[in-house]
């Protein structure tokens, strides 16, 4: 699985690609310069149950740690990942 990120300074996304087929996408919106809001996570039915959504959230966590920013997981799926893994609290807003 290849994760690609796009970011225009206001909004961004992480896309999971498998053999050039989009398996899933997670979108976010910047809320100032020190945090972003994960607002939606979507996984293609063909990739359901394969951990694609969690890989997208973990890519966002890696990005947040690298940039020293926080995440507000408003998307219910992303929120559930944060709720289940205490090791992610360092980036939680």
């Amino acid at each position: 699985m290849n994760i690609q990120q796009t970011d225009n300074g206001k909004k961004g996304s992480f896309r999971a690609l498998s053999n050039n087929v989009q398996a899933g996408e997670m979108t976010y919106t910047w809320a100032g310069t020190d945090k972003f809001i994960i607002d939606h996570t979507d996984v293609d039915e063909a990739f359901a149950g394969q951990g694609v959504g969690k890989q997208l959230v973990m890519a966002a966590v890696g990005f947040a740690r690298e940039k020293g920013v926080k995440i507000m997981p408003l998307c219910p799926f992303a929120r559930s990942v944060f709720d289940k893994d205490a090791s992610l609290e360092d980036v939680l807003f």
Side-chain angles (χ1 to χ4, degrees):
M1 195 69 55
N2 179 26
I3 307 290
Q4 295 180 350
Q5 181 186 14
T6 59
D7 188 315
N8 69 12
K10 294 184 182 195
K11 292 182 176 273
S13 69
F14 290 90
R15 295 183 329 137
L17 302 172
S18 177
N19 297 320
N20 292 322
V21 173
Q22 184 167 306
E25 181 179 38
M26 183 184 70
T27 58
Y28 63 90
T29 303
W30 282 99
T33 57
D34 62 342
K35 63 185 166 291
F36 61 91
I37 300 164
I38 296 176
D39 46 35
H40 184 70
T41 305
D42 183 55
V43 174
D44 186 282
E45 280 184 23
F47 295 91
Q50 297 180 31
V52 174
K54 185 166 184 181
Q55 288 181 55
L56 292 166
V57 172
M58 296 310 292
V61 168
F63 173 69
R65 287 176 174 155
E66 178 185 313
K67 298 294 183 185
V69 299
K70 300 288 186 181
I71 298 173
M72 295 175 61
L74 294 186
C75 160
F77 175 79
R79 181 84 223 167
S80 73
V81 173
F82 276 87
D83 288 347
K84 293 175 187 170
D85 191 341
S87 73
L88 306 179
E89 288 182 8
D90 62 310
V91 296
L92 187 59
F93 181 83

